[in-house]
Amino acid sequence: MNSIQVGNDTITAEAIARELQYHPAEQMDDAWQAAATSLVVKTLLEQRANELGIEAATEEERTALLLEQELQVPEPTEEQCQHYFHSNRGRFHTPVLLAVSHILLLAAPEDVQQRDQQRILAAQLLRQLQVEPDSFVALAQQYSVCPSSGQGGSLGQLSKGQTVAEFERQVWRLPVGLAAQPVETRFGFHLVRVDQRVEGEPLEYEHVATRIRQYLHEQVTRRALSQYLQVLGAEIGVEGIAFNAAGSPLVQ
């Protein structure tokens, strides 16, 4: 990879290589672009702070002082907050709550034979539960490796974020009752029964106004910062990379 010129400063290929560890990506080109963009932004801000004579104990404090002086970000108006609330009414609800029971048949993700065996057992137990739904507690106590087996498989009342994402993604779509198929996760196979589902209730504006105001302010700040860095790059000059400030971690 080639070096990059930012004004009178050169960002070497070695410096970009050292920065790569902080920008993991599936493709090396994407990681390089992210690392290089981050160093370009850092250099632009350093040059601008030098130009304005801004001093601070740390680089982070210096950047904060620079942006405080250079960026003028207006606070969202009450009208804008109200408009966002009414335009996105479906986003503002109390969380959906589920009461869930499960039987976990443990199978390590790398053990193909064990997973095949547990998949077969899960199908057999599911057929039994469909015929004898009252046997759930007994089967949980006999087969489940989850600590909830002591409570007949009951996980109690759950809200989103309390279980692993791969389990949550599947279970939160289920209706009340016994799931028609086992739920597969990295831990194995879960026979799931949704015992109760409580839908979220709409929240009134006064309960979410602060959250909306913070969100809108963050959005405006990101746009203003992206525009500021893009203009700064054009004024100082960036060569050797297609500079896009929106790709900077500082903006994201």
Side-chain angles (χ1 to χ4, degrees):
M1 297 296 183
N2 297 326
S3 61
I4 297 170
Q5 196 69 27
V6 181
N8 296 323
D9 290 337
T10 300
I11 301 174
T12 65
E14 291 77 11
I16 298 171
R18 289 193 297 271
E19 181 72 14
L20 281 173
Q21 62 182 309
Y22 305 112
H23 306 274
E26 292 185 4
Q27 302 295 327
M28 177 57 72
D29 286 348
D30 294 335
W32 186 91
Q33 181 74 24
T37 298
S38 179
L39 292 178
V40 168
V41 167
K42 178 182 177 182
T43 305
L44 288 171
L45 294 173
E46 286 177 349
Q47 291 189 18
R48 183 59 172 161
N50 290 337
E51 180 184 344
L52 296 177
I54 297 175
E55 299 293 342
T58 66
E59 180 184 327
E60 290 77 12
E61 291 175 357
R62 194 179 190 214
T63 297
L65 289 172
L66 171 64
L67 296 179
E68 183 179 343
Q69 180 174 325
E70 295 275 271
L71 284 185
Q72 301 299 321
V73 181
E75 289 291 335
T77 65
E78 179 66 16
E79 182 181 359
Q80 289 171 329
C81 293
Q82 290 270 7
H83 176 74
Y84 183 85
F85 173 74
H86 291 294
S87 299
N88 298 273
R89 194 69 183 86
R91 296 186 181 184
F92 303 109
H93 287 77
T94 57
V96 175
L97 300 176
L98 297 184
V100 176
S101 298
H102 81 145
I103 299 170
L104 171 57
L105 306 178
L106 187 66
E110 68 278 1
D111 191 331
V112 176
Q113 182 177 0
Q114 185 186 36
R115 291 191 80 85
D116 285 343
Q117 291 172 345
Q118 297 293 60
R119 183 181 288 106
I120 293 170
L121 177 59
Q124 292 173 344
L125 294 180
L126 181 61
R127 286 194 292 271
Q128 180 175 340
L129 287 169
Q130 289 168 340
V131 176
E132 304 174 16
D134 292 341
S135 66
F136 195 99
V137 170
L139 292 179
Q141 292 171 341
Q142 180 178 355
Y143 290 100
S144 182
V145 297
C146 179
S148 65
S149 62
Q151 290 76 48
S154 175
L155 294 172
Q157 192 174 74
L158 302 174
S159 59
K160 283 193 173 182
Q162 290 185 279
T163 63
V164 296
E166 56 194 303
F167 182 81
E168 183 176 286
R169 279 195 302 271
Q170 300 177 73
V171 171
W172 247 255
R173 295 197 295 259
L174 297 174
V176 172
L178 181 68
Q181 299 293 333
V183 171
E184 183 174 0
T185 70
R186 79 191 85 161
F187 304 106
F189 298 88
H190 308 251
L191 300 172
V192 176
R193 186 183 68 197
V194 177
D195 300 312
Q196 185 182 23
R197 182 182 181 94
V198 180
E199 300 296 340
E201 296 292 330
L203 289 169
E204 297 301 323
Y205 173 73
E206 56 266 25
H207 296 138
V208 295
T210 300
R211 192 200 317 172
I212 291 173
R213 191 173 301 277
Q214 290 172 343
Y215 171 77
L216 293 180
H217 186 264
E218 288 172 1
Q219 294 297 103
V220 173
T221 300
R222 287 193 183 97
R223 286 195 296 270
L225 181 54
S226 180
Q227 293 167 0
Y228 170 72
L229 291 172
Q230 207 67 47
V231 170
L232 202 58
E235 290 178 351
I236 293 175
V238 178
E239 299 177 4
I241 184 176
F243 177 55
N244 179 10
S248 166
L250 186 64
V251 174
Q252 297 171 350

